[in-house]
Amino acid sequence: LNQTTKYFWRIKPKNNCGEGIFSNVFSFTTELCTICNSVANTSYDTSTTLVNFNTINNASAKPSGYSNYTTINTEVTRNLSYDLKVKVNTADDLDSAYSTQTKVWIDWNQNCNFDDDGEEYNLGEAFSTVNGLTAQSPLSIIVPVNAILGNTIMRISTKFSGDGLPTSCENGADGEVEDYTIVVKDNPASVEDIS
């Protein structure tokens, strides 16, 4: 259903013996769905330096603890796979053993949370680098066949490993959070010809 939209409904009973009359008309209005805030601190340069997913190819610095790149988008098709590559800065002098962890969440069902099965992807660690790939890059991501069509959010969080794994809605961590838009399209090959 579309957000902030009024929908009307009614009921009409029907069986083998016949059918009744329609009920009164009822309505409901859907709410505006917003995702949680997640902002890292800016004390260190721990950050995501590149996101490459389908046509998204965004190299970035760390302008703040949260970067809203939702105007940068890419179209993906249900039931097809796409490689995701992420580069990071571990914010060290390259002589020590600092490392980062990176996780990605894609809100495939567009319910404005990242807690559902199949929406979290672990991109792994990176060690002593200012612009290096995470251990699991490239990671192949299959767009679920039941992903909701249209715009959805992809969140990427890179965090200092010494503070644990990133979570989708944490604030104040040593790292950076970036959001992008994924536009889900239907797979024409999966649509049956009903003519």
Side-chain angles (χ1 to χ4, degrees):
L1 301 178
N2 295 323
Q3 296 183 44
T4 62
T5 303
K6 189 170 188 176
Y7 289 92
F8 298 90
W9 60 281
R10 61 185 180 170
I11 298 172
K12 181 179 186 180
K14 185 176 180 180
N15 63 23
N16 291 338
C17 296
E19 58 184 72
I21 60 172
F22 280 110
S23 70
N24 292 332
V25 175
F26 300 93
S27 67
F28 63 89
T29 302
T30 54
E31 294 182 348
L32 177 63
C33 177
T34 56
I35 60 171
C36 60
N37 290 328
S38 185
V39 181
N41 71 51
T42 55
S43 299
Y44 303 96
D45 291 331
T46 311
S47 59
T48 299
T49 57
L50 174 76
V51 173
N52 178 247
F53 184 64
N54 198 28
T55 59
I56 293 174
N57 191 30
N58 187 44
S60 62
K62 184 179 180 180
S64 66
Y66 169 76
S67 297
N68 184 354
Y69 295 124
T70 54
T71 58
I72 301 173
N73 62 68
T74 190
E75 291 185 358
V76 298
T77 302
R78 284 174 169 169
N79 212 30
L80 295 184
S81 65
Y82 302 86
D83 284 344
L84 172 62
K85 297 178 191 173
V86 175
K87 289 185 177 181
V88 299
N89 180 356
T90 58
D92 65 4
D93 59 9
L94 302 184
D95 292 326
S96 57
Y98 287 122
S99 65
T100 58
Q101 293 275 351
T102 300
K103 282 195 174 184
V104 175
W105 297 267
I106 303 176
D107 186 20
W108 295 121
N109 63 2
Q110 296 179 20
N111 68 348
C112 292
N113 76 60
F114 302 110
D115 298 331
D116 303 297
D117 290 341
E119 291 188 342
E120 179 179 291
Y121 304 90
N122 191 340
L123 273 285
E125 285 189 282
F127 295 91
S128 299
T129 182
V130 293
N131 189 33
L133 284 171
T134 63
Q136 300 299 321
S137 290
L139 181 68
S140 181
I141 293 179
I142 298 174
V143 180
V145 69
N146 61 346
I148 302 297
L149 300 178
N151 294 353
T152 193
I153 297 296
M154 175 173 72
R155 172 163 289 173
I156 298 172
S157 182
T158 297
K159 180 180 173 183
F160 170 57
S161 294
D163 293 338
L165 291 172
T167 60
S168 60
C169 299
E170 71 180 304
N171 292 288
D174 175 8
E176 184 190 15
V177 180
E178 296 182 355
D179 283 347
Y180 295 85
T181 299
I182 305 297
V183 183
V184 178
K185 299 290 186 180
D186 204 4
N187 188 339
S190 68
V191 177
E192 293 182 20
D193 184 3
I194 57 173
S195 59

